[in-house]
Amino acid sequence: MSATARKTALNAADIRAMKGQTPIVSLTAYTTPMARLMDEHCDFVLVGDSVGMVLHGLPSTLGVTMDMMVMHGAAVARGLSHAMMVIDMPFGSYEESAAQAFRNAARLMAETGAAAVKLEGGVEMAETIRVLVKRGIPVMAHIGLTPQSINTLGGYRVQGRDEAAKPMIADARAVADAGAFAVVLEKVPATLADQVTEIVDIPTIGIGASVGCDGQVLVVDDMLGFFTAFKPKFVKRYADLGTQAEAAIAEYATEVRARRFPEPEHTFADQAPAKKT
C-alpha cells in the first residue's frame, strides 16, 4: 500500500519554530475518520504504536509490527490536510543499527506520507537520530517513560525522580544535539519537565509531564473515553463516548430482539416512488 505525498500546512521546521510560543497541540490517530476530526485542531497528529493496545487489544506496544504501522499511517494520512503527521517506529525496527533504522523509517515515510518518525531513547539513540536526520528523515525523540522498554523499566513507572533526573537531562540534551526537532517527555516529574524545557532548544511535548512543556499529546481514545481498560493519572477525559456507545449498542440490541427495528421508514417499498415532475 502506498500513499501519495500530502502538502501540509506544518512540517518539522514549523514545529521546531514553535518552541516557547503558543503551546503545540497533538493527539494520536489510527483511522481516517478520527484524523479528519482532529485535523483542524492539532498542529501534529501522531500515529502511535499505542494502536496495538487501543485497537488491537495487545497487552503492550511490543507486538506492533511495521505492517500495522504502515496500514494505520496510510489511513490517517487520508484524513489530514492541515496537521503534520508523525509516525512511531515500532519496537525492533530501529534499535539494531542506524542502517536498520533508516531502512524502516524510509519505508514508513514512503508508504504512509508521514512527514517525520518518532523513536524512543535518549543518549543510546543519539547517533541513530543523527544519521536519520542527515539522510533527510525528521525525527521526534521520546524519553522518560518509554513504553517499548517496560520490561527493563519495571513497568509504567514515573521516570526521572531524584538521582535519575541527571540521566534524563543528559538524554534530552543528546537527542537535541543529534538533530531531533522535538522531544516527547512521558511520565516525568513536572519540575524536571520544566527544567528540560528550559535547557533544550527544541520543543518538549508533554504526556504526564508539565503544563510548562512546549506542547501536549494524549492518546485520543483515552481522552474521549473509548479506551477503558485503565486510565493513567495524566489523562483527562474530555468525553465519555465509550459509555454512550455501549448504551446505544444495548438499545439497538433490545429493539432488534423486540422487532421494533427496523421500522417502516427504514425499509423499502415494492415499487420505487414516482418521480416528481
Side-chain angles (χ1 to χ4, degrees):
M1 178 184 294
S2 62
T4 57
R6 297 181 303 112
K7 291 184 178 180
T8 63
L10 297 174
N11 57 34
D14 296 323
I15 297 297
R16 179 165 184 158
M18 295 175 73
K19 172 74 178 179
Q21 306 299 316
T22 302
I24 300 163
V25 178
S26 177
L27 288 168
T28 64
Y30 320 109
T31 65
T32 305
M34 194 64 77
R36 285 174 176 156
L37 289 176
M38 63 183 67
D39 184 40
E40 291 300 319
H41 305 285
C42 291
D43 298 303
F44 75 88
V45 169
L46 174 65
V47 186
D49 59 358
S50 49
V51 67
M53 302 173 73
V54 173
L55 293 190
H56 293 271
L58 297 176
S60 72
T61 63
L62 300 182
V64 175
T65 66
M66 282 286 294
D67 286 344
M68 289 166 65
M69 295 307 299
V70 167
M71 177 180 67
H72 289 287
V76 169
R78 297 183 194 108
L80 299 179
S81 60
H82 162 75
M84 175 185 177
M85 188 174 98
V86 181
I87 190 165
D88 266 341
M89 299 195 69
F91 177 69
S93 69
Y94 61 93
E95 297 92 338
E96 181 180 340
S97 66
Q100 180 207 32
F102 176 78
R103 182 170 61 254
N104 286 319
R107 179 190 171 193
L108 286 175
M109 293 183 69
E111 296 187 24
T112 69
V117 300
K118 180 172 76 65
L119 56 79
E120 298 180 5
V123 171
E124 73 279 9
M125 294 308 303
E127 183 55 31
T128 293
I129 293 172
R130 185 173 288 108
V131 169
L132 293 182
V133 173
K134 285 183 177 179
R135 284 161 174 74
I137 296 178
V139 178
M140 178 176 289
H142 183 156
I143 64 175
L145 173 63
T146 47
Q148 294 176 7
S149 302
I150 57 167
N151 289 327
T152 55
L153 294 177
Y156 297 96
R157 300 175 179 176
V158 175
Q159 303 294 312
R161 283 178 169 154
D162 303 321
E163 292 302 313
K166 291 181 180 178
M168 186 81 63
I169 292 172
D171 282 338
R173 283 178 165 150
V175 298
D177 291 344
F181 69 90
V183 57
V184 172
L185 307 180
E186 181 168 358
K187 210 167 184 179
V188 302
T191 300
L192 176 58
D194 289 340
Q195 187 177 3
V196 170
T197 300
E198 183 176 353
I199 289 174
V200 299
D201 62 356
I202 59 174
T204 56
I205 310 298
I207 177 167
S210 168
V211 72
C213 289
D214 296 297
Q216 303 293 330
V217 63
L218 281 177
V219 172
V220 69
D221 292 71
D222 283 341
M223 58 90 71
L224 291 179
F226 278 124
F227 183 75
T228 57
F230 59 87
K231 177 181 173 293
K233 179 182 179 180
F234 56 76
V235 170
K236 178 178 179 179
R237 287 252 165 89
Y238 286 83
D240 192 10
L241 302 186
T243 298
Q244 294 179 38
E246 184 177 7
I249 292 167
E251 183 178 0
Y252 163 74
T254 297
E255 290 192 359
V256 168
R257 291 184 178 118
R259 296 192 183 279
R260 294 201 302 270
F261 177 85
E263 297 174 275
E265 62 263 36
H266 307 123
T267 59
F268 301 92
D270 292 337
Q271 296 181 346
K275 294 184 179 180
K276 295 181 180 180
T277 57

